[in-house]
mmCIF file of all heavy atoms in Angstrom:
data_model
loop_
_atom_site.group_PDB
_atom_site.id
_atom_site.type_symbol
_atom_site.label_atom_id
_atom_site.label_comp_id
_atom_site.label_asym_id
_atom_site.label_seq_id
_atom_site.Cartn_x
_atom_site.Cartn_y
_atom_site.Cartn_z
ATOM 1 N N VAL A 183 -0.888 6.773 6.374
ATOM 2 C CA VAL A 183 -1.792 6.492 5.198
ATOM 3 C C VAL A 183 -0.983 5.517 4.298
ATOM 4 O O VAL A 183 0.254 5.384 4.442
ATOM 5 C CB VAL A 183 -2.232 7.675 4.400
ATOM 6 C CG1 VAL A 183 -3.307 8.461 5.103
ATOM 7 C CG2 VAL A 183 -1.054 8.548 4.000
ATOM 8 N N THR A 184 -1.635 4.833 3.408
ATOM 9 C CA THR A 184 -0.966 4.091 2.368
ATOM 10 C C THR A 184 -0.330 5.072 1.278
ATOM 11 O O THR A 184 -0.820 6.225 1.136
ATOM 12 C CB THR A 184 -1.851 3.103 1.647
ATOM 13 O OG1 THR A 184 -2.715 3.803 0.798
ATOM 14 C CG2 THR A 184 -2.629 2.285 2.594
ATOM 15 N N THR A 185 0.693 4.583 0.576
ATOM 16 C CA THR A 185 1.236 5.447 -0.449
ATOM 17 C C THR A 185 0.209 5.857 -1.523
ATOM 18 O O THR A 185 0.038 7.033 -1.874
ATOM 19 C CB THR A 185 2.420 4.679 -1.140
ATOM 20 O OG1 THR A 185 3.502 4.536 -0.228
ATOM 21 C CG2 THR A 185 2.896 5.453 -2.431
ATOM 22 N N PRO A 186 -0.646 4.898 -2.003
ATOM 23 C CA PRO A 186 -1.698 5.277 -3.031
ATOM 24 C C PRO A 186 -2.699 6.203 -2.439
ATOM 25 O O PRO A 186 -3.232 7.047 -3.196
ATOM 26 C CB PRO A 186 -2.249 3.946 -3.450
ATOM 27 C CG PRO A 186 -1.653 2.840 -2.687
ATOM 28 C CD PRO A 186 -0.525 3.394 -1.883
ATOM 29 N N GLN A 187 -2.921 6.179 -1.164
ATOM 30 C CA GLN A 187 -3.886 7.120 -0.575
ATOM 31 C C GLN A 187 -3.312 8.548 -0.672
ATOM 32 O O GLN A 187 -3.966 9.531 -1.100
ATOM 33 C CB GLN A 187 -4.139 6.800 0.876
ATOM 34 C CG GLN A 187 -5.142 5.670 1.073
ATOM 35 C CD GLN A 187 -5.521 5.427 2.498
ATOM 36 O OE1 GLN A 187 -4.691 5.427 3.362
ATOM 37 N NE2 GLN A 187 -6.846 5.094 2.762
ATOM 38 N N LEU A 188 -2.002 8.717 -0.379
ATOM 39 C CA LEU A 188 -1.393 9.960 -0.433
ATOM 40 C C LEU A 188 -1.418 10.498 -1.841
ATOM 41 O O LEU A 188 -1.732 11.709 -2.131
ATOM 42 C CB LEU A 188 0.033 9.861 0.055
ATOM 43 C CG LEU A 188 0.871 11.056 0.477
ATOM 44 C CD1 LEU A 188 1.703 11.667 -0.589
ATOM 45 C CD2 LEU A 188 -0.003 12.277 1.064
ATOM 46 N N HIS A 189 -1.136 9.604 -2.868
ATOM 47 C CA HIS A 189 -1.136 10.069 -4.261
ATOM 48 C C HIS A 189 -2.571 10.414 -4.603
ATOM 49 O O HIS A 189 -2.756 11.386 -5.349
ATOM 50 C CB HIS A 189 -0.573 8.910 -5.195
ATOM 51 C CG HIS A 189 0.854 8.758 -5.141
ATOM 52 N ND1 HIS A 189 1.662 9.270 -6.081
ATOM 53 C CD2 HIS A 189 1.706 8.061 -4.272
ATOM 54 C CE1 HIS A 189 2.944 8.964 -5.837
ATOM 55 N NE2 HIS A 189 2.988 8.202 -4.759
ATOM 56 N N HIS A 190 -3.527 9.709 -4.165
ATOM 57 C CA HIS A 190 -5.008 10.068 -4.447
ATOM 58 C C HIS A 190 -5.303 11.438 -3.886
ATOM 59 O O HIS A 190 -5.910 12.281 -4.560
ATOM 60 C CB HIS A 190 -5.817 9.012 -3.834
ATOM 61 C CG HIS A 190 -7.308 9.377 -3.758
ATOM 62 N ND1 HIS A 190 -8.198 8.736 -4.520
ATOM 63 C CD2 HIS A 190 -8.000 10.229 -2.902
ATOM 64 C CE1 HIS A 190 -9.427 9.277 -4.305
ATOM 65 N NE2 HIS A 190 -9.224 10.129 -3.279
ATOM 66 N N PHE A 191 -4.806 11.719 -2.667
ATOM 67 C CA PHE A 191 -5.118 13.047 -2.037
ATOM 68 C C PHE A 191 -4.601 14.160 -2.913
ATOM 69 O O PHE A 191 -5.207 15.181 -3.123
ATOM 70 C CB PHE A 191 -4.574 13.207 -0.667
ATOM 71 C CG PHE A 191 -5.068 12.116 0.366
ATOM 72 C CD1 PHE A 191 -4.257 11.636 1.415
ATOM 73 C CD2 PHE A 191 -6.362 11.618 0.205
ATOM 74 C CE1 PHE A 191 -4.717 10.707 2.279
ATOM 75 C CE2 PHE A 191 -6.799 10.614 1.140
ATOM 76 C CZ PHE A 191 -6.021 10.195 2.149
ATOM 77 N N VAL A 192 -3.334 13.934 -3.350
ATOM 78 C CA VAL A 192 -2.642 15.027 -4.191
ATOM 79 C C VAL A 192 -3.394 15.134 -5.533
ATOM 80 O O VAL A 192 -3.738 16.343 -5.928
ATOM 81 C CB VAL A 192 -1.230 14.617 -4.409
ATOM 82 C CG1 VAL A 192 -0.570 15.562 -5.387
ATOM 83 C CG2 VAL A 192 -0.456 14.680 -3.075
ATOM 84 N N MET A 193 -3.777 14.077 -6.110
ATOM 85 C CA MET A 193 -4.505 14.165 -7.386
ATOM 86 C C MET A 193 -5.826 14.874 -7.205
ATOM 87 O O MET A 193 -6.193 15.708 -8.064
ATOM 88 C CB MET A 193 -4.727 12.756 -8.021
ATOM 89 C CG MET A 193 -5.411 12.658 -9.290
ATOM 90 S SD MET A 193 -5.478 11.094 -9.961
ATOM 91 C CE MET A 193 -6.894 10.317 -9.075
ATOM 92 N N HIS A 194 -6.525 14.547 -6.162
ATOM 93 C CA HIS A 194 -7.774 15.123 -5.902
ATOM 94 C C HIS A 194 -7.766 16.580 -5.442
ATOM 95 O O HIS A 194 -8.742 17.383 -5.681
ATOM 96 C CB HIS A 194 -8.690 14.237 -4.958
ATOM 97 C CG HIS A 194 -9.278 13.104 -5.624
ATOM 98 N ND1 HIS A 194 -10.630 12.866 -5.868
ATOM 99 C CD2 HIS A 194 -8.639 12.040 -6.239
ATOM 100 C CE1 HIS A 194 -10.786 11.709 -6.492
ATOM 101 N NE2 HIS A 194 -9.577 11.224 -6.743
ATOM 102 N N ALA A 195 -6.593 16.892 -4.787
ATOM 103 C CA ALA A 195 -6.446 18.275 -4.336
ATOM 104 C C ALA A 195 -6.373 19.266 -5.476
ATOM 105 O O ALA A 195 -6.797 20.435 -5.407
ATOM 106 C CB ALA A 195 -5.200 18.393 -3.466
ATOM 107 N N ASN A 196 -5.724 18.721 -6.627
ATOM 108 C CA ASN A 196 -5.669 19.592 -7.830
ATOM 109 C C ASN A 196 -6.781 19.114 -8.704
ATOM 110 O O ASN A 196 -6.669 18.501 -9.728
ATOM 111 C CB ASN A 196 -4.341 19.343 -8.490
ATOM 112 C CG ASN A 196 -3.126 19.687 -7.560
ATOM 113 O OD1 ASN A 196 -2.940 20.891 -7.260
ATOM 114 N ND2 ASN A 196 -2.479 18.667 -7.120
ATOM 115 N N GLY A 197 -8.004 19.472 -8.276
ATOM 116 C CA GLY A 197 -9.259 19.016 -8.879
ATOM 117 C C GLY A 197 -9.464 19.210 -10.373
ATOM 118 O O GLY A 197 -10.123 18.452 -11.017
ATOM 119 N N HIS A 198 -8.831 20.291 -10.908
ATOM 120 C CA HIS A 198 -9.007 20.667 -12.287
ATOM 121 C C HIS A 198 -8.419 19.598 -13.149
ATOM 122 O O HIS A 198 -8.629 19.460 -14.356
ATOM 123 C CB HIS A 198 -8.330 21.984 -12.652
ATOM 124 C CG HIS A 198 -6.917 22.039 -12.327
ATOM 125 N ND1 HIS A 198 -6.366 22.151 -11.109
ATOM 126 C CD2 HIS A 198 -5.832 21.924 -13.142
ATOM 127 C CE1 HIS A 198 -5.052 22.131 -11.158
ATOM 128 N NE2 HIS A 198 -4.768 21.984 -12.446
ATOM 129 N N MET A 199 -7.590 18.652 -12.608
ATOM 130 C CA MET A 199 -6.983 17.570 -13.439
ATOM 131 C C MET A 199 -7.789 16.364 -13.459
ATOM 132 O O MET A 199 -7.522 15.433 -14.189
ATOM 133 C CB MET A 199 -5.594 17.259 -12.816
ATOM 134 C CG MET A 199 -4.584 18.388 -12.894
ATOM 135 S SD MET A 199 -2.917 17.749 -12.651
ATOM 136 C CE MET A 199 -2.103 19.339 -12.369
ATOM 137 N N LEU A 200 -8.873 16.376 -12.584
ATOM 138 C CA LEU A 200 -9.655 15.090 -12.495
ATOM 139 C C LEU A 200 -10.695 15.046 -13.640
ATOM 140 O O LEU A 200 -11.351 16.029 -13.947
ATOM 141 C CB LEU A 200 -10.459 15.037 -11.258
ATOM 142 C CG LEU A 200 -9.857 14.560 -10.025
ATOM 143 C CD1 LEU A 200 -10.876 14.638 -8.800
ATOM 144 C CD2 LEU A 200 -9.258 13.215 -10.183
ATOM 145 N N PRO A 201 -10.851 13.886 -14.326
ATOM 146 C CA PRO A 201 -11.919 13.731 -15.334
ATOM 147 C C PRO A 201 -13.309 13.891 -14.570
ATOM 148 O O PRO A 201 -13.321 13.457 -13.362
ATOM 149 C CB PRO A 201 -11.792 12.298 -15.893
ATOM 150 C CG PRO A 201 -10.461 11.894 -15.366
ATOM 151 C CD PRO A 201 -10.079 12.608 -14.227
ATOM 152 N N SER A 202 -14.262 14.393 -15.228
ATOM 153 C CA SER A 202 -15.563 14.741 -14.558
ATOM 154 C C SER A 202 -16.238 13.507 -14.009
ATOM 155 O O SER A 202 -17.034 13.597 -13.087
ATOM 156 C CB SER A 202 -16.506 15.525 -15.369
ATOM 157 O OG SER A 202 -16.656 14.782 -16.546
ATOM 158 N N ILE A 203 -15.871 12.364 -14.524
ATOM 159 C CA ILE A 203 -16.508 11.056 -14.125
ATOM 160 C C ILE A 203 -16.170 10.612 -12.756
ATOM 161 O O ILE A 203 -16.745 9.817 -12.086
ATOM 162 C CB ILE A 203 -16.146 10.019 -15.197
ATOM 163 C CG1 ILE A 203 -17.255 8.972 -15.437
ATOM 164 C CG2 ILE A 203 -14.910 9.327 -14.940
ATOM 165 C CD1 ILE A 203 -16.932 8.103 -16.751
ATOM 166 N N ILE A 204 -14.986 11.251 -12.205
ATOM 167 C CA ILE A 204 -14.496 10.859 -10.982
ATOM 168 C C ILE A 204 -14.905 11.950 -9.902
ATOM 169 O O ILE A 204 -14.430 13.059 -10.064
ATOM 170 C CB ILE A 204 -12.906 10.669 -10.930
ATOM 171 C CG1 ILE A 204 -12.508 9.644 -12.006
ATOM 172 C CG2 ILE A 204 -12.424 10.267 -9.551
ATOM 173 C CD1 ILE A 204 -11.039 9.457 -12.104
ATOM 174 N N PRO A 205 -15.617 11.572 -8.893
ATOM 175 C CA PRO A 205 -16.017 12.602 -7.895
ATOM 176 C C PRO A 205 -14.770 13.051 -7.149
ATOM 177 O O PRO A 205 -13.868 12.200 -6.806
ATOM 178 C CB PRO A 205 -16.944 11.827 -6.920
ATOM 179 C CG PRO A 205 -17.125 10.465 -7.497
ATOM 180 C CD PRO A 205 -16.209 10.236 -8.597
ATOM 181 N N GLN A 206 -14.676 14.353 -6.834
ATOM 182 C CA GLN A 206 -13.438 14.868 -6.228
ATOM 183 C C GLN A 206 -13.589 14.734 -4.695
ATOM 184 O O GLN A 206 -14.497 15.169 -4.010
ATOM 185 C CB GLN A 206 -13.278 16.354 -6.549
ATOM 186 C CG GLN A 206 -12.030 16.959 -6.034
ATOM 187 C CD GLN A 206 -11.811 18.464 -6.258
ATOM 188 O OE1 GLN A 206 -12.735 19.030 -6.827
ATOM 189 N NE2 GLN A 206 -10.746 18.986 -5.917
ATOM 190 N N ARG A 207 -12.701 13.836 -4.112
ATOM 191 C CA ARG A 207 -12.691 13.598 -2.691
ATOM 192 C C ARG A 207 -11.291 13.568 -2.260
ATOM 193 O O ARG A 207 -10.479 12.701 -2.546
ATOM 194 C CB ARG A 207 -13.309 12.233 -2.383
ATOM 195 C CG ARG A 207 -14.716 12.060 -2.782
ATOM 196 C CD ARG A 207 -15.681 12.670 -1.790
ATOM 197 N NE ARG A 207 -17.063 12.315 -2.065
ATOM 198 C CZ ARG A 207 -17.787 12.991 -3.049
ATOM 199 N NH1 ARG A 207 -17.223 13.902 -3.748
ATOM 200 N NH2 ARG A 207 -19.008 12.657 -3.288
ATOM 201 N N CYS A 208 -10.862 14.564 -1.447
ATOM 202 C CA CYS A 208 -9.538 14.824 -1.137
ATOM 203 C C CYS A 208 -9.061 14.246 0.208
ATOM 204 O O CYS A 208 -8.017 14.579 0.699
ATOM 205 C CB CYS A 208 -9.211 16.332 -1.196
ATOM 206 S SG CYS A 208 -7.553 16.739 -1.128
ATOM 207 N N ASN A 209 -9.924 13.575 0.905
ATOM 208 C CA ASN A 209 -9.505 13.019 2.205
ATOM 209 C C ASN A 209 -9.779 11.491 2.320
ATOM 210 O O ASN A 209 -10.302 10.923 1.402
ATOM 211 C CB ASN A 209 -10.237 13.775 3.290
ATOM 212 C CG ASN A 209 -11.799 13.668 3.154
ATOM 213 O OD1 ASN A 209 -12.234 12.810 2.477
ATOM 214 N ND2 ASN A 209 -12.405 14.643 3.697
ATOM 215 N N GLU A 210 -9.471 10.945 3.447
ATOM 216 C CA GLU A 210 -9.421 9.485 3.564
ATOM 217 C C GLU A 210 -10.894 8.941 3.461
ATOM 218 O O GLU A 210 -11.065 7.868 2.884
ATOM 219 C CB GLU A 210 -8.786 9.051 4.900
ATOM 220 C CG GLU A 210 -8.223 7.794 4.827
ATOM 221 C CD GLU A 210 -7.475 7.332 6.085
ATOM 222 O OE1 GLU A 210 -6.872 8.238 6.754
ATOM 223 O OE2 GLU A 210 -7.506 6.263 6.441
ATOM 224 N N SER A 211 -11.860 9.621 4.141
ATOM 225 C CA SER A 211 -13.105 9.037 4.112
ATOM 226 C C SER A 211 -13.693 9.056 2.696
ATOM 227 O O SER A 211 -14.393 8.141 2.183
ATOM 228 C CB SER A 211 -14.061 9.694 5.062
ATOM 229 O OG SER A 211 -13.999 11.067 4.947
ATOM 230 N N GLY A 212 -13.368 10.176 1.929
ATOM 231 C CA GLY A 212 -13.822 10.327 0.637
ATOM 232 C C GLY A 212 -13.143 9.209 -0.293
ATOM 233 O O GLY A 212 -13.846 8.551 -1.097
ATOM 234 N N TYR A 213 -11.910 8.957 -0.040
ATOM 235 C CA TYR A 213 -11.120 7.892 -0.779
ATOM 236 C C TYR A 213 -11.946 6.554 -0.634
ATOM 237 O O TYR A 213 -12.205 5.872 -1.589
ATOM 238 C CB TYR A 213 -9.747 7.811 -0.343
ATOM 239 C CG TYR A 213 -8.898 6.585 -0.669
ATOM 240 C CD1 TYR A 213 -8.134 6.606 -1.789
ATOM 241 C CD2 TYR A 213 -9.004 5.389 0.121
ATOM 242 C CE1 TYR A 213 -7.370 5.430 -2.036
ATOM 243 C CE2 TYR A 213 -8.232 4.342 -0.152
ATOM 244 C CZ TYR A 213 -7.453 4.293 -1.314
ATOM 245 O OH TYR A 213 -6.749 3.190 -1.591
ATOM 246 N N CYS A 214 -12.224 6.265 0.645
ATOM 247 C CA CYS A 214 -12.891 4.988 0.976
ATOM 248 C C CYS A 214 -14.247 4.848 0.320
ATOM 249 O O CYS A 214 -14.671 3.916 -0.207
ATOM 250 C CB CYS A 214 -12.947 4.777 2.477
ATOM 251 S SG CYS A 214 -11.368 4.494 3.257
ATOM 252 N N GLU A 215 -14.987 5.996 0.392
ATOM 253 C CA GLU A 215 -16.356 6.042 -0.044
ATOM 254 C C GLU A 215 -16.414 5.808 -1.565
ATOM 255 O O GLU A 215 -17.201 5.029 -2.100
ATOM 256 C CB GLU A 215 -17.111 7.339 0.347
ATOM 257 C CG GLU A 215 -17.700 7.186 1.728
ATOM 258 C CD GLU A 215 -18.097 8.594 2.254
ATOM 259 O OE1 GLU A 215 -18.389 9.479 1.550
ATOM 260 O OE2 GLU A 215 -17.917 8.633 3.497
ATOM 261 N N ILE A 216 -15.562 6.612 -2.237
ATOM 262 C CA ILE A 216 -15.616 6.424 -3.701
ATOM 263 C C ILE A 216 -15.320 5.020 -4.185
ATOM 264 O O ILE A 216 -16.016 4.492 -4.981
ATOM 265 C CB ILE A 216 -14.460 7.289 -4.412
ATOM 266 C CG1 ILE A 216 -14.659 8.784 -4.170
ATOM 267 C CG2 ILE A 216 -14.387 7.067 -5.897
ATOM 268 C CD1 ILE A 216 -13.533 9.588 -4.781
ATOM 269 N N MET A 217 -14.257 4.475 -3.488
ATOM 270 C CA MET A 217 -13.859 3.180 -3.906
ATOM 271 C C MET A 217 -14.907 2.101 -3.592
ATOM 272 O O MET A 217 -15.244 1.235 -4.394
ATOM 273 C CB MET A 217 -12.525 2.858 -3.172
ATOM 274 C CG MET A 217 -11.749 1.779 -3.962
ATOM 275 S SD MET A 217 -10.139 1.690 -3.159
ATOM 276 C CE MET A 217 -9.361 3.132 -3.786
ATOM 277 N N ALA A 218 -15.452 2.199 -2.409
ATOM 278 C CA ALA A 218 -16.393 1.154 -1.927
ATOM 279 C C ALA A 218 -17.718 1.255 -2.761
ATOM 280 O O ALA A 218 -18.227 0.273 -3.111
ATOM 281 C CB ALA A 218 -16.766 1.311 -0.412
ATOM 282 N N MET A 219 -18.092 2.477 -2.996
ATOM 283 C CA MET A 219 -19.353 2.686 -3.829
ATOM 284 C C MET A 219 -19.171 2.152 -5.205
ATOM 285 O O MET A 219 -20.107 1.503 -5.827
ATOM 286 C CB MET A 219 -19.771 4.162 -3.830
ATOM 287 C CG MET A 219 -20.127 4.692 -2.517
ATOM 288 S SD MET A 219 -21.279 3.670 -1.695
ATOM 289 C CE MET A 219 -21.140 4.298 0.018
ATOM 290 N N SER A 220 -18.036 2.457 -5.813
ATOM 291 C CA SER A 220 -17.803 1.989 -7.262
ATOM 292 C C SER A 220 -17.642 0.470 -7.279
ATOM 293 O O SER A 220 -18.171 -0.151 -8.150
ATOM 294 C CB SER A 220 -16.475 2.637 -7.819
ATOM 295 O OG SER A 220 -16.405 3.949 -7.504
ATOM 296 N N TYR A 221 -17.040 -0.053 -6.271
ATOM 297 C CA TYR A 221 -16.835 -1.530 -6.138
ATOM 298 C C TYR A 221 -18.293 -2.168 -6.078
ATOM 299 O O TYR A 221 -18.674 -3.097 -6.815
ATOM 300 C CB TYR A 221 -16.004 -1.817 -4.926
ATOM 301 C CG TYR A 221 -15.874 -3.275 -4.479
ATOM 302 C CD1 TYR A 221 -15.561 -4.272 -5.366
ATOM 303 C CD2 TYR A 221 -16.045 -3.559 -3.062
ATOM 304 C CE1 TYR A 221 -15.376 -5.570 -4.895
ATOM 305 C CE2 TYR A 221 -15.913 -4.837 -2.688
ATOM 306 C CZ TYR A 221 -15.564 -5.853 -3.546
ATOM 307 O OH TYR A 221 -15.397 -7.120 -3.052
ATOM 308 N N ALA A 222 -19.136 -1.638 -5.127
ATOM 309 C CA ALA A 222 -20.461 -2.199 -4.944
ATOM 310 C C ALA A 222 -21.302 -2.036 -6.239
ATOM 311 O O ALA A 222 -21.992 -2.907 -6.673
ATOM 312 C CB ALA A 222 -21.165 -1.473 -3.828
ATOM 313 N N ALA A 223 -21.104 -0.900 -6.973
ATOM 314 C CA ALA A 223 -21.852 -0.681 -8.211
ATOM 315 C C ALA A 223 -21.386 -1.695 -9.252
ATOM 316 O O ALA A 223 -22.263 -2.236 -10.034
ATOM 317 C CB ALA A 223 -21.525 0.747 -8.730
ATOM 318 N N LEU A 224 -20.135 -1.971 -9.277
ATOM 319 C CA LEU A 224 -19.658 -2.921 -10.293
ATOM 320 C C LEU A 224 -20.133 -4.398 -9.943
ATOM 321 O O LEU A 224 -20.638 -5.068 -10.751
ATOM 322 C CB LEU A 224 -18.068 -3.010 -10.217
ATOM 323 C CG LEU A 224 -17.345 -3.756 -11.333
ATOM 324 C CD1 LEU A 224 -17.829 -3.443 -12.694
ATOM 325 C CD2 LEU A 224 -15.802 -3.668 -11.189
ATOM 326 N N LEU A 225 -20.174 -4.690 -8.710
ATOM 327 C CA LEU A 225 -20.756 -6.002 -8.174
ATOM 328 C C LEU A 225 -22.200 -6.160 -8.582
ATOM 329 O O LEU A 225 -22.695 -7.174 -9.041
ATOM 330 C CB LEU A 225 -20.498 -6.223 -6.745
ATOM 331 C CG LEU A 225 -19.077 -6.446 -6.150
ATOM 332 C CD1 LEU A 225 -19.095 -6.274 -4.635
ATOM 333 C CD2 LEU A 225 -18.513 -7.662 -6.681
ATOM 334 N N ARG A 226 -22.840 -5.037 -8.420
ATOM 335 C CA ARG A 226 -24.354 -5.005 -8.618
ATOM 336 C C ARG A 226 -24.701 -5.348 -10.137
ATOM 337 O O ARG A 226 -25.713 -5.814 -10.420
ATOM 338 C CB ARG A 226 -25.006 -3.685 -8.216
ATOM 339 C CG ARG A 226 -25.342 -3.641 -6.796
ATOM 340 C CD ARG A 226 -26.420 -2.569 -6.534
ATOM 341 N NE ARG A 226 -25.875 -1.280 -6.822
ATOM 342 C CZ ARG A 226 -25.203 -0.468 -6.059
ATOM 343 N NH1 ARG A 226 -24.844 -0.967 -4.851
ATOM 344 N NH2 ARG A 226 -24.717 0.709 -6.396
ATOM 345 N N THR A 227 -23.697 -5.018 -11.024
ATOM 346 C CA THR A 227 -24.024 -5.271 -12.440
ATOM 347 C C THR A 227 -24.077 -6.813 -12.650
ATOM 348 O O THR A 227 -24.601 -7.234 -13.748
ATOM 349 C CB THR A 227 -23.018 -4.696 -13.422
ATOM 350 O OG1 THR A 227 -21.763 -5.353 -13.152
ATOM 351 C CG2 THR A 227 -22.836 -3.231 -13.229
#
Side-chain angles (χ1 to χ4, degrees):
V183 288
T184 70
T185 293
Q187 282 184 316
L188 195 267
H189 283 263
H190 167 105
F191 301 148
V192 172
M193 182 174 80
H194 281 247
N196 300 293
H198 60 283
M199 298 197 190
L200 276 183
S202 57
I203 214 168
I204 304 178
Q206 186 181 4
R207 299 281 187 280
C208 190
N209 56 22
E210 205 176 330
S211 51
Y213 165 95
C214 293
E215 269 162 36
I216 296 181
M217 204 172 283
M219 297 307 162
S220 312
Y221 172 50
L224 187 54
L225 290 171
R226 274 199 300 275
T227 66

